[in-house]
Each structure stands twice: as structure tokens, then as C-alpha cells.
Amino acid sequence: ETGVTQSPTHLIKTRGQQVTLRCSSQSGHNTVSWYQQALGQGPQFIFQYYREEENGRGNFPPRFSGLQFPNYSSELNVNALELDDSALYLCASSPLTGVNTEAFFGQGTRLTVV
Amino acid sequence: DQQVKQNSPSLSVQEGRISILNCDYTNSMFDYFLWYKKYPAEGPTFLISISSIKDKNEDGRFTVFLNKSAKHLSLHIVPSQPGDSAVYFCAASNFGNEKLTFGTGTRLTIIP
């Protein structure tokens, strides 16, 4: 069974640029969520995708957008990068929406905006 | 507004003793609670969870206690081992919404 994998592991971007982060969900999981973890903080929910549709969004501006593909993999896109976007971005997958179950996390992508 | 709070940023415990990590929440709609463990350069790893219909759940060395009236949960690790040294996050969600709300974490250090 393959776990949640994210790419790239590290990324450096310049303020104002755009970035795309990728996530492959665990086999059999149809729900993908994205979280931002700033230094010294807990992960903050960005949004969730279920069957290719956005299924809930946290308090993040529209320049944070996402996609989910038919194979349940997902992308997180951030436009007009700001210095405060520097963080660890975590992808999590879970098997079913509407049922309380644990989410399984990838290793994260460390984004640095300079 | 921090809906899930872990008021102890760090905790040091002697190997073999009990580690107790605490978590408080303010949102009474939360009905599912989880603990995750995180090593540096890795994603959070699920440890144990508890539904609001229970007040205790055990899994090996790990036990989670839930006090709904106090809106408080705790994670007990006994006996503590050096490999338990990590950052522990408490998280909460409400039924049908798998968005997790995390606390800020507690760094646990097990002293050999």
C-alpha cells in the first residue's frame, strides 16, 4: 500500500511568483485536504477535495486554489506569492467523507518565499 | 481565535515514566478528536483518536481521555520511550466535516 506522497520536498520562490505543489493520495482514498503549517504553529486547513470538487475551505484568500484529478491526486496552486506564504504545506488523504476517520499525511513541501 | 489549545509548548519526561499531554478546545460542535505525532522533516503520523461518545480509548502504550464537560482531552504514554520524543499535535473535527483543527503542538522530550 502506497502512502501519501508530495512533490517537491523543498522549493524556493520569489515574491509575486506562482507555485504548484502536488500530492498523490493513499491508495483507496478519495478525499484530499491541504494544510499550511507556519513555523511554531499547528497545521491550518486550506481546503478539501472530494470527487474532484472543493468540499470545504478554510480562511485562505482566493489566490490559494486547488484541483483534484480522477485518480484522486491533487494540486495546490498559490498565485502572487507573499513572504508570509513561507511554510510547510501538508497534504492529507482519507478514505471517505462524511465518516469520522483519521487523515494520513504526506511528508510535506517546504516552501520558502524570498 | 484558537479553538484547540495546547498550553504546554514543551515537556520533558524520564524514560519509563508516564508522559501526559493536554489539550483544551472551545468549540462544542467538535465530536472527534485525534492525536498526531510529528518528527522533523516528516508529516504528522496518526497516533490515536476518540469519539465524543467515549471518554477513554487505549492502544498499547497510548491512552486518550476525553472530558466533554471540561472540553479537555489528554494523551497518556506509558512507559515513555526515547523514540517518543517528537512534537505532538491535538486535532479536532465535527461529524461529516473532515476538516481538522489543530493545536499548536507540544514538544515531548524523553530523557534516557
Side-chain angles (χ1 to χ4, degrees), chain A residues 70-111:
Chain A
N71 66 355
Y72 305 130
S73 66
S74 178
E75 287 182 354
L76 164 65
N77 299 290
V78 187
N79 292 322
L81 283 166
E82 300 177 359
L83 297 179
D84 284 349
D85 296 333
S86 296
L88 180 68
Y89 288 84
L90 294 161
C91 170
S93 73
S94 50
L96 190 65
T97 194
V99 175
N100 280 332
T101 185
E102 63 270 20
F104 294 83
F105 284 83
Q107 82 282 10
T109 294
R110 172 74 60 188
L111 173 64

Side-chain angles (χ1 to χ4, degrees), chain A residues 31 33 35 37 40-45 48 58 88 90 94 96-108, chain B residues 2 31-32 34 36 38 41-46 49 51 89 93-105:
Chain A
T31 301
S33 301
Y35 291 82
Q37 186 181 9
Q41 301 296 315
Q44 298 286 315
F45 176 75
Q48 181 185 87
L88 180 68
L90 294 161
S94 50
L96 190 65
T97 194
V99 175
N100 280 332
T101 185
E102 63 270 20
F104 294 83
F105 284 83
Q107 82 282 10
Chain B
Q2 193 74 20
D31 57 9
Y32 188 60
L34 309 91
Y36 282 86
K38 188 177 183 303
E42 292 184 14
T45 302
F46 170 74
S49 63
S51 163
F89 290 98
S93 68
N94 53 288
F95 183 78
N97 178 353
E98 291 177 30
K99 162 190 169 180
L100 295 176
T101 301
F102 282 85
T104 52

